[in-house]
Amino acid sequence: MPTLDSIKGTVEILDKYRFNFQKRFGQNFLIDAHILDKIVTGADVNENDCVLEIGPGIGTMTQYLAERARHVIAVEIDKALIPILGDTLSSYDNVTVINDDILKVDINALVKEYNDSKPIKVVANLPYYITTPIIMGLFEADVPIDSITIMIQKEVADRMQVGPGTKDYGALSLAVQFYSKPEVIAYVSPDCFIPKPNVGSAVIRLKRYAKAPVDVNNKDFMFKLVRAAFNQRRKTLVNSIGNAGIGISKEKILEALNQMELNESIRGEKLSLEEFARLSNILEG
Ligand code: SAM
């Protein structure tokens, strides 16, 4: 039975271990049972699943996950939390706690060891300071993943979902939408955490595509173009890509835009994922 999903249960355990919050690790612990239930239900965790939890904290969500999953791997960077997790998770025999930095862990090796390299579900209330590197790391390392269900900063969740022509549209939107179908499950108030974060939060589920939604011959090259386009988003595509030092001449870009029947002064922020894929296939050829 989960025991920490309230302010009372959380403060009791924090006091018992005289725990000091580390701002540098983005520690905001969930204290709202309703939201915890929403995350785990939204992630559709069931008894066949192996779940990777990034940053279990004192184990609040880990208890919810352990109740439903076959196995939970929880990777926590803060060594002060390890004895607390030993205590709060003592009645579960299906949880493995690893004291490490998620950005340094070989996740593919963990998936092999605990799930025979079959797709896992990632569920986390993420440390907001490294949201993007964590998600991009999971996608780019080709970790076998069914879905990623995460609490992140509301603005970042919005950026993941939008399409061309909006101010929030950028490299992150394109990367997330290339690998997965994003869907916001809930918006969450700062009152649901201790300490309260100074930004709004959202729970988003990224359902991994089995096959990319666009045909691109070389995705690494396409993302080079995307990064070049958004590094200088106020410039035209011809200038941003042409000046990026990736060996593509302005003439070649103009030719490609003409072939695609796009305006020569178009900016990257107007191109859809499909158009970036097409541009990439033309320029690479
Ligand atoms: N899951 C807990 C909850 O919902 O109450 C805690 C969430 S808190 C927002 C983020 C957690 O990630 C903290 O426990 C923090 O120590 C941990 N963390 C921060 N950076 C990390 C990293 N690089 N690798 C693994 N864990 C990290």
Side-chain angles (χ1 to χ4, degrees):
M1 273 278 289
T3 53
L4 304 162
D5 51 1
S6 66
I7 181 85
K8 185 169 170 285
T10 300
V11 168
E12 256 172 36
I13 199 88
L14 294 176
D15 285 351
K16 179 174 167 191
Y17 286 89
R18 296 170 195 269
F19 178 75
N20 291 315
F21 285 99
Q22 300 287 331
K23 222 174 168 182
R24 72 196 157 111
F25 290 147
Q27 293 176 338
N28 302 98
F29 297 164
L30 265 167
I31 49 167
D32 187 302
H34 176 67
I35 295 295
L36 283 152
D37 195 57
K38 243 187 169 160
I39 298 173
V40 181
T41 305
D44 191 24
V45 174
N46 64 57
E47 70 280 2
N48 299 317
D49 287 328
C50 177
V51 174
L52 169 66
E53 186 189 7
I54 298 161
I58 56 172
T60 312
M61 193 154 73
T62 327
Q63 292 183 336
Y64 274 70
L65 294 168
E67 295 276 337
R68 302 195 192 192
R70 181 180 56 73
H71 197 84
V72 182
I73 312 163
V75 179
E76 173 56 60
I77 197 170
D78 186 352
K79 69 175 184 315
L81 288 166
I82 303 305
I84 304 185
L85 288 165
D87 183 348
T88 60
L89 301 175
S90 60
S91 57
Y92 298 99
D93 60 6
N94 60 341
V95 181
T96 304
V97 174
I98 296 170
N99 182 203
D100 209 337
D101 178 344
I102 191 67
L103 297 177
K104 296 189 180 144
V105 169
D106 181 348
I107 303 175
N108 275 307
L110 287 180
V111 179
K112 188 166 182 217
E113 184 175 352
Y114 292 98
N115 209 36
D116 268 343
S117 294
K118 293 194 298 275
I120 56 160
K121 289 179 179 164
V122 177
V123 186
N125 170 16
L126 282 188
Y128 294 173
Y129 74 108
I130 44 169
T131 300
T132 304
I134 289 177
I135 295 172
M136 293 319 297
L138 288 168
F139 284 144
E140 285 169 357
D142 277 327
V143 175
I145 283 177
D146 173 85
S147 59
I148 303 177
T149 306
I150 40 175
M151 175 89 73
I152 55 178
Q153 194 176 330
K154 180 186 172 299
E155 279 69 24
V156 181
D158 291 341
R159 261 190 270 149
M160 288 180 179
Q161 291 199 103
V162 292
T166 56
K167 73 170 175 28
D168 289 335
Y169 185 61
L172 182 65
S173 330
L174 283 155
V176 164
Q177 293 166 30
F178 176 77
Y179 290 107
S180 70
K181 183 171 169 20
E183 187 189 345
V184 168
I185 294 173
Y187 288 107
V188 183
S189 139
D191 296 337
C192 298
F193 303 86
I194 175 175
K196 292 182 193 180
N198 42 23
V199 292
S201 303
V203 180
I204 193 166
R205 181 180 52 225
L206 311 176
K207 179 80 181 161
R208 183 80 156 94
Y209 288 127
K211 182 181 171 297
V214 293
D215 284 324
V216 62
N217 301 333
N218 181 343
K219 74 175 158 83
D220 296 337
F221 180 70
M222 178 179 78
F223 282 115
K224 255 190 203 165
L225 299 180
V226 168
R227 273 193 298 274
F230 288 99
N231 275 345
Q232 296 187 301
R233 66 183 293 148
R234 308 304 307 159
K235 297 222 163 115
T236 65
L237 211 53
V238 172
N239 283 327
S240 59
I241 296 178
N243 293 335
I246 52 173
I248 313 280
S249 70
K250 293 186 181 179
E251 292 69 34
K252 239 186 134 186
I253 306 164
L254 275 172
E255 250 173 58
L257 291 178
N258 286 327
Q259 198 177 324
M260 291 171 69
E261 296 181 6
L262 292 172
N263 192 307
E264 292 185 353
S265 60
I266 197 165
R267 293 178 183 154
E269 61 194 10
K270 293 274 189 243
L271 258 63
S272 66
L273 175 59
E274 217 171 330
E275 287 168 325
F276 267 111
R278 204 160 154 230
L279 181 68
S280 168
N281 291 345
I282 295 172
L283 289 178
E284 205 210 356

